[in-house]
Amino acid sequence: MPIERFTAKNFRCLRDIELQARPDFNLVYGSNASGKTSLLEALAYLGRGKSFRGAPLTSLVAHGEQEFVLFGEVREEGRVNKVGVRNSREGLEVRVNGDSDGGSAALASALPLQLIDPDVHNLVSGGPEQRRRFLDWIAFHVEHGYLDTWRRFRRTLKQRNAALKSGSSRDAIRSWDVEFLGLSARIDEIRRSALELSYDTLVERGELLLGHRLDFEYQGGWAKDRSLAEVLEEGLERDRQFGATQAGPHRGELKLIYDERQAKRLVSRGQQKLLACSMILGATETAQSALEKPLLLLLDDPAAELDKESLGRLMDQVVSLGAQIIATSLDPEALFFPSAPAMFHVEQGSLTQVSAGGPQA
């Protein structure tokens, strides 16, 4: 599912750029603050409908402009899907082949992608929410209907929390529990299935990058020796005091185990990056297998904080995926590909294609 053509107008420093990408290897190079990361951010925005840097709209629209527009042509099974995003003060507008009803979920389906950036280590060292999102990304791509289940759960959770905050009676709060429990059970089931499906790949990728055995364990968000119904009933007064539901899949955690300890307490910053990269690559491989098509993998300065040997192992694993790769680098010679990538130079927000790639000498 390669993106063949991408344009961005008024996105950060990218006033008007066009990228004609190859289906395998693409490398964007340039100095610091030239626009490399902004280009990957724009590409990721086209596939997610949001910034991976958590930036608000005011930071994304070029100075003096009212909106930004992103557009991509994505090839799939002999046809070209047209994907577009426009964002302004009036809100986000999404179109996939002219249809504006699908929202961000339609973008994720039309242009499934993953990202490795300099903050990828936070997947290991950060809080449980990041690892929940990681597992939910796999679930979204391997289990049809998961997104709808998750959205229904979030609405039910919001309504239960509103009842808790308003001081509603115990019976009024319990009225939300039947739906809450049913949706929680389904989310728990799908997450565990997604981890089971990806488990061997995650472990294998981790061993190849780190040279050590890894393990992964999903914790549902409540005591595993009790039912969620029991936990909700026993914790009702506590929930009322906090004004929020303290147990459920919104509190779930993907526990990472490295040499029988939690990974975030043991590994160095460089090892954290390699472990997080192995997880991203494992998730990408799992989704590609389920979808039966290659994904887009964005690499933002993968050489950062890695020695030459570690970077070589990482690039070997990246290439082995068979995904479409768009990578950035300060040095055009820093990243090794088995064949010469399409080369692009970015400077002050302007993009120039240097070469179309070809057999490497």
Side-chain angles (χ1 to χ4, degrees):
M1 178 173 270
I3 184 167
E4 296 183 335
R5 177 172 173 261
F6 172 73
T7 64
K9 293 184 178 181
N10 299 326
F11 186 95
R12 290 196 185 269
C13 65
L14 308 174
R15 289 288 183 172
D16 190 358
I17 62 103
E18 178 173 341
L19 174 72
Q20 297 279 355
R22 273 181 35 178
D24 49 9
F25 312 128
N26 302 271
L27 178 61
V28 181
Y29 69 95
S31 60
N32 286 323
S34 61
K36 301 187 303 297
T37 297
S38 293
L39 175 58
L40 292 197
E41 184 180 17
L43 280 160
Y45 204 108
L46 186 64
R48 295 180 174 180
K50 61 183 179 181
S51 164
F52 67 74
R53 298 156 89 178
L57 175 65
T58 52
S59 297
L60 298 177
V61 177
H63 180 69
E65 302 296 335
Q66 300 299 313
E67 64 180 22
F68 66 78
V69 179
L70 310 173
F71 175 78
E73 294 178 352
V74 182
R75 181 166 295 277
E76 181 179 12
E77 297 179 351
R79 71 177 187 273
V80 175
N81 294 319
K82 296 183 178 181
V83 184
V85 166
R86 182 194 306 271
N87 207 348
S88 66
R89 292 179 181 177
E90 281 68 46
L92 177 67
E93 180 184 348
V94 170
R95 289 189 180 273
V96 177
N97 293 326
D99 187 352
S100 59
D101 295 333
S104 58
L107 296 177
S109 296
L111 184 59
L113 61 86
Q114 267 290 7
L115 168 80
I116 292 175
D117 71 343
D119 291 328
V120 69
H121 62 89
N122 288 329
L123 182 57
V124 174
S125 61
E129 182 180 359
Q130 300 201 46
R131 291 180 290 280
R132 284 196 299 270
R133 286 201 300 263
F134 166 80
L135 190 54
D136 285 339
W137 183 89
I138 300 175
F140 171 80
H141 287 292
V142 303
E143 180 64 37
H144 180 71
Y146 178 67
L147 181 61
D148 179 63
T149 301
W150 175 248
R151 285 174 171 171
R152 288 167 56 203
F153 169 78
R154 293 295 301 178
R155 286 195 297 269
T156 303
L157 174 63
K158 183 178 181 179
Q159 290 163 330
R160 189 179 193 271
N161 286 345
L164 290 166
K165 289 177 183 178
S166 66
S168 298
S169 67
R170 296 173 68 94
D171 287 343
I173 296 169
R174 289 192 185 103
S175 68
W176 293 109
D177 287 357
V178 173
E179 185 174 9
F180 182 87
L181 290 168
L183 292 169
S184 294
R186 181 61 178 149
I187 289 172
D188 190 72
E189 177 186 11
I190 295 175
R191 282 179 173 172
R192 293 183 187 279
S193 177
L195 179 57
E196 182 179 2
L197 183 65
S198 58
Y199 180 83
D200 289 343
T201 300
L202 292 172
V203 170
E204 180 182 3
R205 293 282 179 181
E207 284 197 69
L208 288 169
L209 275 181
L210 288 159
H212 295 278
R213 169 77 183 189
L214 303 173
D215 205 357
F216 301 85
E217 177 187 337
Y218 177 66
Q219 299 173 339
W222 63 92
K224 61 183 179 181
D225 59 341
R226 310 293 299 278
S227 72
L228 181 55
E230 292 174 325
V231 172
L232 287 181
E233 182 62 29
E234 293 175 3
L236 182 55
E237 286 306 316
R238 182 189 60 175
D239 287 353
R240 295 177 76 181
Q241 290 174 5
F242 281 99
T245 306
Q246 300 299 303
H250 58 297
R251 301 283 187 176
E253 163 74 299
L254 179 61
K255 186 178 179 182
L256 315 180
I257 302 169
Y258 182 93
D259 285 349
E260 299 182 352
R261 301 188 219 176
Q262 289 192 36
K264 65 181 180 181
R265 296 179 180 175
L266 177 67
V267 296
S268 68
R269 176 73 168 257
Q271 288 175 310
Q272 286 178 358
K273 177 171 182 175
L274 288 177
L275 173 50
C277 286
S278 75
M279 293 171 64
I280 296 296
L281 298 180
T284 302
E285 182 178 355
T286 301
Q288 288 188 155
S289 179
L291 298 173
E292 298 183 334
K293 54 192 175 187
L295 271 63
L296 170 61
L297 181 62
L298 304 175
L299 304 177
D300 189 14
D301 193 15
E305 298 183 329
L306 294 180
D307 57 45
K308 186 175 182 180
E309 180 183 354
S310 296
L311 178 61
R313 292 202 308 272
L314 173 59
M315 292 305 298
D316 285 345
Q317 290 301 304
V318 165
V319 168
S320 73
L321 275 177
Q324 182 184 32
I325 299 166
I326 301 179
T328 67
S329 178
L330 288 168
D331 179 2
E333 304 297 327
L335 305 183
F336 175 78
F337 294 96
S339 60
M343 301 278 287
F344 303 87
H345 181 243
V346 63
E347 184 176 4
Q348 296 182 344
S350 296
L351 185 70
T352 304
Q353 182 162 345
V354 178
S355 71
Q360 194 172 47

